[in-house]
Amino acid sequence: MARSHLMLAVFLYFCLCMLPSLCQNEETQALIEFKKQLTDPFKYLASWKDFESPCQFFGVSCDPKTGMVIGISLDNKSLSGEISPSIGKLKSLTSLVLPSNLLAGSLPSELNNCVNLRVLNVTGNNMNGTLPDLSKLKRLQILDLSINYFSGAFPAWVGNLTSLVSLGLGDNEFDEGGIPQNLGSLRNLTWLYLAGSHLTGEIPESIFEMKALQTLDICRNKISGNLPTSIGKLSNLNKIELFLNNLTGELPVELANLTLLEEFDISSNQISGTLPPEIGNLKSLKIFHVYKNNFSGKIPSGFGDMHHLIAFSVYKNNFSGEIPENLGRFSPMNSIDMSENKFTGRFPKYLCRRKSLQFFLAVENNFSGELPDSYGSCESLVRFRVCQNNLSGKIPDGFWSLPNVKMIDLSNNHFSGGISTIIRSAASLSQLILSNNRFSGEIPNELGQVSGLEKLYLDKNEFSGRIPAELGDLKQISSLHMEDNSFSGPIPSELARCSRLVELDLASNSLSGSIPSSFSMFLSLNSLNLSGNKLTGSVPTSLEKLKLSSIDMSNNQLSGIIPSDLWTMGGDKAFIGNNRLCIDESTRSIMKSDLSVCYQKTGDKSNFMKRRIVLFYLIVFGLIVVIGGLMLVSYANFRHCEPSLGKKDEKGKGDDSKFRLESFHLMEFDVDEICSLDEDNLIGTGSTGKVYRLDLKKGSGSVAVKKIWKKDAVKVLTAEMEILGMIRHRNILKLYACLINEGSNFLVLEYMANGNLFQALHRQIKGGKPELDWHQRYKIAVGAAKGISYLHHDVSPAVIHRDIKSTNILLDEDYEAKIADFGVARLAEDSNIGSGFSSLTGTHGYIAPEMAYTLKITDKCDVYSFGVVLLELVTGRKPVEDDYGEGKDIVYWVTTHLNNKEETFKVLDRKVVSEDIQEDMIKVLKVATVCTSKLPNLRPSMKEVVKMLIDAQPHKSSVHTGKNEKVDMYT
Ligand SMILES: *[C@@H]1O[C@H](CO)[C@@H](O)[C@H](O)[C@H]1NC(C)=O
Ligand SMILES: *[C@@H]1O[C@H](CO)[C@@H](O)[C@H](O)[C@H]1NC(C)=O
Ligand SMILES: *[C@@H]1O[C@H](CO)[C@@H](O)[C@H](O)[C@H]1NC(C)=O
């Protein structure tokens, strides 16, 4: 009975389904199911309703004859969620286009049922998992799966999709491996995008059989071998992108057969040899990038009569000879970079003929002669850097007033002549670098009208005359270098109006008169050099107000008493060579000095200094008492490591089995356990010792045991015990106990299940997702900030950690951050006293810039280092990476990306950013940039940092509120 009902139902279903209009019901259901799996914040899918014809649905198209769904197109609609397998029910589907959304999850294998599919485009989503074999979809013409997180083996089955015209698989997380040989069967392919997908090995020969190919993009992989001659067979190519690979060998002449080639980028490989002269016949070329290779020889003269060339970059090679004279004569050249080669001869004079040149870089070559006159009318120029060449002669007049130029760097050449008064019209100029040339004459007053000027380097030239008072109008200037010239006359007191000045160097001139007392208004000044002049009068006491970290007034004719704070900062060497300067007797008792002593009544000042000294001794005395006391206490508690401890004896750690145990927290464990550490449980090696995990016998969980290197033991133990022993804070690692004997020293610490922040940031969970999403990172940032803020502001005396970095921030099982490793920490009070007390510590990439010229440790050093940690959280990058450039770090790298919104978004960690949190990440990026201000006094205190971070809390509900908010990094 029931069975016959069922049969009837099945029969009816089949009958009815012969009529397309009823079948639509099934398609509607499939689409409703598809919608259910998605989050659609902007309600694009509002029209997708039950009992409606799917042909009315937004983004859905139907076959006009059959009424069946043939296309779904939802491009850039902020959709998240996953693609439902119900998609497989749309039997007539020919096109599924869902690019630039936030789709996650894997690609459903049910797509194989859509046998009519011609276009599948899901580029730019967050999809992951391994790809299903889609080789049954024989009609596919466009397959774009690029820019996702797909993993597993590189899909070799695509070689069977012989109808393909466009194939994008790049920027995924495929396993490392070669390009499949069978890709060459795709004879209709015009577009191949395999960038950034962990490809290794050589380009298979079969690739060069894809005669229709127009775009070959395999950049950012590990492709090796050379570019074979068969590249010449791909005569339809207009774009070759092979930059950032390991290509070697020489370029084949056959490249010249590619007469349609418009873009050629093989930069950042190890290709050598010369450029075949025939390349000069590639008359369609627009972009030619071969920088960072080992090329030598000349640039083919054919580059001089290209009509479309707009970008030419050959920096960091060994090219030599002259640049083709006609380069840029017939094309709208926009940017040229010839830096770091051995080019000789003159600059090409027609380069700016079409008035489109914006970027001209020719740093570090052997170019000679004058700048061509025509450059003086190159109004499009934005950046002009030709430092370190043999250039000479005068600068063409108009050059000084180019309206768009932001940076002019002519340093380290032999240029002569003066600066023209028309410089007042250089409306965009922010950096003028003329150092080390033969420029002469007076500085025009009009230079003071270049209101955007930030850096002015006139040093090591033959300038003379007075320093114009008008320079005081440069409100934006931060670096003013005028040293090693022949300036004379007084230092204008108006200079003090440059309120953003950070560096002022007027050394080695013939300046006379006194030091303006107005200089005490320089609130941002960091270093001041007035040495080697003819300055007279006294050193203004008001300068003590400045927060300088470098000062030099040596070799002048100054007289009178040196303000003691200036002397303690600069030392003798900042004042020697001034016969009539002297130093207060009581000041001198702090540090040895060769300066003469002033015989006069000591005033309030010296009393203040005396108080400081007394304080110093008090602190030292206090420390001795504390440490002594601790040792006494611990001696009273001493216990024996039982002789029966086999392991310890085996390792021959000596006979001295007496351990002193100092407990700081209530914690039950046996000394024996600590003594028998197992190398298998090593969890880390820090700067001061090895750390082991120890699972306690009494079932009270695990602890971490740090075995301190012998040589550092006393210093480290003192620091760690003293600081950690007195601190209780949820964001600071707990010290449970301390064991001391002659041979080994152990600290027993809280065990952190998730290791350190650095590891966690670079760990991935399955599918290539990072372990820490933005919410977790944010929580860690706040926790760590609270911990450091507590050290700086809530314990007394305050503690400066001195080695804040992501490896010293540990994470417990709930990812709560705990500050660890106090091995080099200092109590704030001892940090000012003499340089002998503090050695340079910290970790490369985290050290505040002022540490290069001062050993004065302030809490602002920790703020800087914490700023670096914030940058790690926001960018997912390491503090030091090769691609920041030599000697550059993450702080530098980030600041080069803050010019506009577009660029700024690029620094955000691509693995965690999404549209709804990017504004939140930008807020934390802003905090990071103020923390890493070059000037210590522009950095906020940790208390302020905590407050700013709390204001930057991610709002889960603010999915689209932030959309139109402007990112103004520089206001
Ligand atoms: C591709 O097609 C060939 C023959 O047509 C077949 O032998 C092979 O298994 C297919 N490869 C894949 C990965 O489907
Ligand atoms: C996929 O869609 C994106 C966004 O519309 C587009 O830029 C890209 O060219 C498409 N891919 C192919 C291969 O057509
Ligand atoms: C894909 O990502 C989701 C969510 O981001 C995650 O839960 C899942 O485990 C990942 N799948 C794979 C196979 O990596």
Side-chain angles (χ1 to χ4, degrees):
M1 185 60 181
R3 194 188 162 112
S4 63
H5 269 119
L6 183 67
M7 294 281 282
L8 184 63
V10 171
F11 174 76
L12 273 176
Y13 176 85
F14 275 108
C15 282
L16 292 174
C17 242
M18 296 296 158
L19 304 165
S21 62
L22 286 171
C23 235
Q24 260 182 14
N25 192 23
E26 193 192 5
E27 297 212 312
T28 306
Q29 287 316 312
L31 287 170
I32 296 294
E33 189 55 39
F34 177 82
K35 176 184 173 177
K36 265 192 201 149
Q37 300 295 317
L38 299 177
T39 306
D40 171 27
F42 298 101
K43 305 283 175 257
Y44 286 108
L45 307 185
S47 59
W48 292 36
K49 292 196 195 110
D50 251 327
F51 312 114
E52 301 271 339
S53 158
C55 307
Q56 311 298 320
F57 289 5
F58 176 83
V60 174
S61 53
C62 293
D63 183 317
K65 291 201 201 99
T66 64
M68 304 288 276
V69 172
I70 54 170
I72 301 177
S73 175
L74 297 164
D75 182 348
N76 193 11
K77 298 286 180 281
S78 305
L79 301 174
S80 54
E82 305 192 359
I83 300 180
S84 162
S86 69
I87 202 82
K89 298 192 178 138
L90 304 172
K91 296 286 187 300
S92 304
L93 197 65
T94 60
S95 167
L96 180 60
V97 178
L98 305 168
S100 310
N101 285 293
L102 302 161
L103 300 172
S106 55
L107 199 63
S109 59
E110 286 79 358
L111 273 173
N112 270 316
N113 300 334
C114 306
V115 289
N116 290 307
L117 209 57
R118 288 188 170 80
V119 181
L120 174 56
N121 187 345
V122 295
T123 184
N125 281 287
N126 297 329
M127 299 184 67
N128 65 1
T130 53
L131 290 172
D133 181 341
L134 298 176
S135 56
K136 290 208 197 93
L137 301 177
K138 292 287 181 220
R139 296 188 179 153
L140 267 184
Q141 293 175 350
I142 295 181
L143 177 60
D144 195 348
L145 309 177
S146 59
I147 320 183
N148 276 291
Y149 297 95
F150 291 119
S151 55
F154 189 91
W157 46 257
V158 288
N160 284 17
L161 296 172
T162 47
S163 306
L164 278 183
V165 173
S166 298
L167 174 61
L169 295 169
D171 288 306
N172 277 297
E173 304 293 334
F174 297 125
D175 299 341
E176 220 168 68
I179 301 173
Q181 187 75 32
N182 66 353
L183 274 195
S185 348
L186 305 178
R187 296 301 161 88
N188 299 316
L189 206 66
T190 61
W191 185 78
L192 178 62
Y193 180 78
L194 304 178
S197 36
H198 310 303
L199 294 168
T200 56
E202 303 195 359
I203 304 175
E205 195 60 25
S206 64
I207 295 285
F208 304 106
E209 301 301 329
M210 296 195 279
K211 296 280 160 56
L213 209 57
Q214 293 169 6
T215 295
L216 174 64
D217 191 338
I218 321 183
C219 65
R220 295 182 280 112
N221 282 291
K222 294 178 185 160
I223 301 294
S224 53
N226 50 12
L227 198 59
T229 55
S230 19
I231 185 90
K233 293 198 271 183
L234 299 180
S235 56
N236 286 305
L237 274 183
N238 61 36
K239 189 168 176 178
I240 298 180
E241 302 283 357
L242 289 169
F243 61 91
L244 268 172
N245 276 296
N246 299 326
L247 293 170
T248 50
E250 304 197 359
L251 288 188
V253 160
E254 286 75 6
L255 259 184
N257 299 348
L258 309 181
T259 51
L260 302 178
L261 198 62
E262 294 181 1
E263 297 181 33
F264 182 66
D265 193 339
I266 51 152
S267 49
S268 301
N269 280 286
Q270 293 119 46
I271 304 177
S272 53
T274 57
L275 297 180
E278 293 81 356
I279 288 191
N281 300 331
L282 294 175
K283 295 302 179 226
S284 308
L285 266 189
K286 287 182 180 163
I287 296 176
F288 183 76
H289 284 179
V290 301
Y291 60 85
K292 288 193 176 173
N293 275 291
N294 302 323
F295 286 111
S296 52
K298 292 176 75 165
I299 302 297
S301 60
F303 277 91
D305 44 55
M306 293 191 176
H307 286 241
H308 305 283
L309 195 62
I310 54 175
F312 179 84
S313 182
V314 298
Y315 75 88
K316 269 206 176 167
N317 278 291
N318 278 312
F319 285 117
S320 56
E322 302 198 3
I323 299 288
E325 190 187 8
N326 285 340
L327 192 66
R329 185 168 187 170
F330 307 109
S331 73
M333 185 69 89
N334 174 266
S335 70
I336 176 162
D337 193 343
M338 308 174 282
S339 303
E340 297 182 65
N341 280 290
K342 301 199 175 79
F343 289 119
T344 53
R346 308 198 160 213
F347 284 149
K349 58 174 176 282
Y350 300 112
L351 211 49
C352 195
R353 190 150 180 259
R354 302 282 286 273
K355 299 275 182 279
S356 3
L357 189 68
Q358 290 190 296
F359 305 95
F360 182 99
L361 296 108
V363 173
E364 273 192 71
N365 277 287
N366 296 317
F367 285 110
S368 58
E370 304 190 358
L371 295 189
D373 271 343
S374 57
Y375 288 19
S377 54
C378 186
E379 296 186 345
S380 49
L381 257 189
V382 171
R383 210 172 165 83
F384 188 81
R385 298 196 63 199
V386 299
C387 53
Q388 299 205 49
N389 280 286
N390 294 318
L391 299 160
S392 57
K394 294 194 173 147
I395 305 301
D397 215 37
F399 196 81
W400 295 112
S401 62
L402 294 176
N404 294 304
V405 77
K406 288 189 178 147
M407 179 184 202
I408 295 178
D409 182 356
L410 308 175
S411 59
N412 297 310
N413 280 290
H414 312 294
F415 287 116
S416 55
I419 301 177
S420 165
T421 56
I422 64 169
I423 197 165
R424 63 175 176 268
S425 315
S428 310
L429 192 60
S430 76
Q431 300 189 39
L432 179 62
I433 320 267
L434 305 180
S435 313
N436 202 11
N437 277 287
R438 294 190 200 129
F439 286 110
S440 59
E442 301 199 2
I443 303 296
N445 299 344
E446 287 79 359
L447 191 53
Q449 296 173 34
V450 184
S451 55
L453 207 56
E454 291 170 16
K455 293 191 174 166
L456 177 59
Y457 285 72
L458 305 175
D459 53 296
K460 303 188 196 69
N461 278 290
E462 292 158 20
F463 287 115
S464 57
R466 295 174 167 238
I467 296 178
E470 284 79 358
L471 293 190
D473 297 335
L474 296 172
K475 290 284 172 280
Q476 302 298 326
I477 198 159
S478 63
S479 298
L480 179 55
H481 281 265
M482 304 181 79
E483 67 268 24
D484 293 301
N485 279 289
S486 304
F487 290 112
S488 55
I491 301 176
S493 63
E494 288 84 350
L495 273 190
R497 294 182 5 229
C498 302
S499 55
R500 295 197 173 193
L501 207 57
V502 174
E503 295 176 293
L504 176 59
D505 196 337
L506 303 175
S508 305
N509 280 290
S510 300
L511 298 167
S512 54
S514 55
I515 300 174
S517 57
S518 62
F519 274 18
S520 62
M521 285 158 55
F522 281 131
L523 294 180
S524 310
L525 200 68
N526 198 25
S527 84
L528 175 64
N529 192 345
L530 303 175
S531 66
N533 280 291
K534 297 176 183 154
L535 300 172
T536 52
S538 61
V539 179
T541 325
S542 58
L543 295 190
E544 283 190 325
K545 273 197 256 168
L546 301 180
K547 304 225 164 61
L548 293 174
S549 48
S550 161
I551 188 172
D552 194 349
M553 297 185 170
S554 61
N555 299 311
N556 277 290
Q557 290 148 29
L558 299 165
S559 56
I561 187 167
I562 305 173
S564 58
D565 271 9
L566 290 183
W567 179 76
T568 38
M569 199 266 302
D572 277 6
K573 66 175 193 310
F575 300 97
I576 48 163
N578 291 281
N579 291 339
R580 292 157 61 215
L581 270 184
C582 59
I583 149 181
D584 191 304
E585 180 151 27
S586 59
T587 309
R588 191 166 116 147
S589 58
I590 299 179
M591 262 188 335
K592 211 176 100 40
S593 170
D594 294 329
L595 297 175
S596 54
V597 173
C598 314
Y599 291 101
Q600 51 179 235
K601 245 183 155 294
T602 51
D604 286 351
K605 195 91 237 167
S606 60
N607 275 336
F608 171 68
M609 291 312 296
K610 268 185 194 152
R611 260 185 277 129
R612 270 200 180 183
I613 301 159
V614 172
L615 191 61
F616 168 58
Y617 287 117
L618 268 179
I619 293 164
V620 170
F621 179 73
L623 281 181
I624 294 170
V625 170
V626 168
I627 296 166
L630 283 177
M631 292 193 166
L632 270 181
V633 173
S634 40
Y635 188 73
N637 287 341
F638 89 94
R639 307 243 319 246
H640 290 271
C641 263
E642 305 295 338
S644 62
L645 282 175
K647 265 195 182 133
K648 182 171 166 285
D649 279 346
E650 274 161 36
K651 285 181 188 157
K653 285 209 182 115
D655 302 320
D656 187 357
S657 53
K658 280 178 191 155
F659 274 83
R660 294 195 304 273
L661 171 72
E662 174 66 29
S663 272
F664 297 99
H665 287 251
L666 215 56
M667 186 78 195
E668 258 197 277
F669 57 84
D670 289 336
V671 177
D672 328 1
E673 295 183 72
I674 310 290
C675 298
S676 55
L677 294 170
D678 191 342
E679 284 295 322
D680 289 344
N681 287 336
L682 184 71
I683 49 177
T685 306
S687 55
T688 53
K690 286 184 173 181
V691 186
Y692 299 82
R693 192 190 72 235
L694 179 68
D695 304 318
L696 293 176
K697 286 192 190 123
K698 293 197 174 144
S700 40
S702 303
V703 292
V705 179
K706 180 165 173 185
K707 189 169 180 217
I708 316 268
W709 307 133
K710 213 166 162 182
K711 62 178 170 56
D712 298 328
V714 175
K715 223 171 59 205
V716 173
L717 280 179
T718 320
E720 296 234 21
M721 275 167 59
E722 191 185 320
I723 293 165
L724 281 181
M726 68 183 183
I727 288 173
R728 304 283 187 279
H729 190 272
R730 68 181 286 176
N731 297 112
I732 293 177
L733 193 73
K734 277 199 190 69
L735 174 64
Y736 291 131
C738 172
L739 274 82
I740 306 171
N741 90 337
E742 306 290 292
S744 324
N745 302 280
F746 300 99
L747 292 171
V748 184
L749 300 150
E750 214 178 347
Y751 172 69
M752 293 288 115
N754 278 311
N756 69 50
L757 173 58
F758 181 86
Q759 296 163 334
L761 263 180
H762 300 287
R763 260 191 316 243
Q764 294 184 348
I765 50 178
K766 279 204 197 81
K769 284 269 181 246
E771 178 172 327
L772 300 177
D773 66 16
W774 179 246
H775 288 271
Q776 279 165 311
R777 294 186 193 192
Y778 169 78
K779 183 181 137 187
I780 291 166
V782 175
K786 284 180 177 168
I788 304 169
S789 173
Y790 177 78
L791 294 173
H792 288 182
H793 304 292
D794 300 320
V795 289
S796 175
V799 171
I800 301 173
H801 185 284
R802 300 210 306 163
D803 200 12
I804 296 290
K805 53 181 171 180
S806 53
T807 50
N808 278 343
I809 296 173
L810 306 186
L811 303 171
D812 70 8
E813 65 275 31
D814 301 321
Y815 291 96
E816 179 85 55
K818 315 246 177 181
I819 308 291
D821 203 338
F822 287 73
V824 294
R826 282 264 183 282
L827 299 181
E829 287 172 14
D830 19 2
S831 59
N832 289 334
I833 305 160
S835 53
F837 224 79
S838 56
S839 53
L840 182 60
T841 52
T843 305
H844 183 46
Y846 294 91
I847 301 174
E850 71 270 21
M851 298 308 287
Y853 41 77
T854 173
L855 287 168
K856 188 164 167 178
I857 303 153
T858 68
D859 52 359
K860 295 299 175 68
C861 307
D862 281 355
V863 177
Y864 182 92
S865 309
F866 180 70
V868 175
V869 173
L870 288 181
L871 290 178
E872 293 180 81
L873 289 167
V874 172
T875 65
R877 284 174 162 254
K878 300 175 185 166
V880 182
E881 280 186 24
D882 279 347
D883 60 332
Y884 303 151
E886 195 163 318
K888 301 291 198 297
D889 55 22
I890 193 167
V891 175
Y892 169 84
W893 178 80
V894 167
T895 48
T896 58
H897 284 78
L898 300 181
N899 302 322
N900 58 55
K901 189 166 177 164
E902 237 55 12
E903 276 285 295
T904 305
F905 282 151
K906 281 193 201 146
V907 310
L908 306 182
D909 190 351
R910 191 180 148 244
K911 305 237 185 232
V912 300
V913 71
S914 64
E915 197 164 359
D916 48 346
I917 56 166
Q918 65 187 16
E919 301 294 340
D920 297 319
M921 291 178 74
I922 294 283
K923 285 185 201 158
V924 174
L925 178 64
K926 285 183 185 176
V927 181
T929 50
V930 288
C931 287
T932 50
S933 301
K934 205 169 160 204
L935 270 186
N937 45 327
L938 295 185
R939 290 176 212 145
S941 70
M942 278 315 289
K943 221 177 214 152
E944 290 161 336
V945 172
V946 172
K947 200 169 157 289
M948 288 190 274
L949 282 176
I950 288 173
D951 290 341
Q953 173 156 34
H955 299 290
K956 280 196 175 139
S957 53
S958 73
V959 176
H960 22 268
T961 50
K963 268 209 123 171
N964 297 319
E965 199 182 294
K966 268 240 163 64
V967 182
D968 277 322
M969 296 303 296
Y970 294 119
T971 44

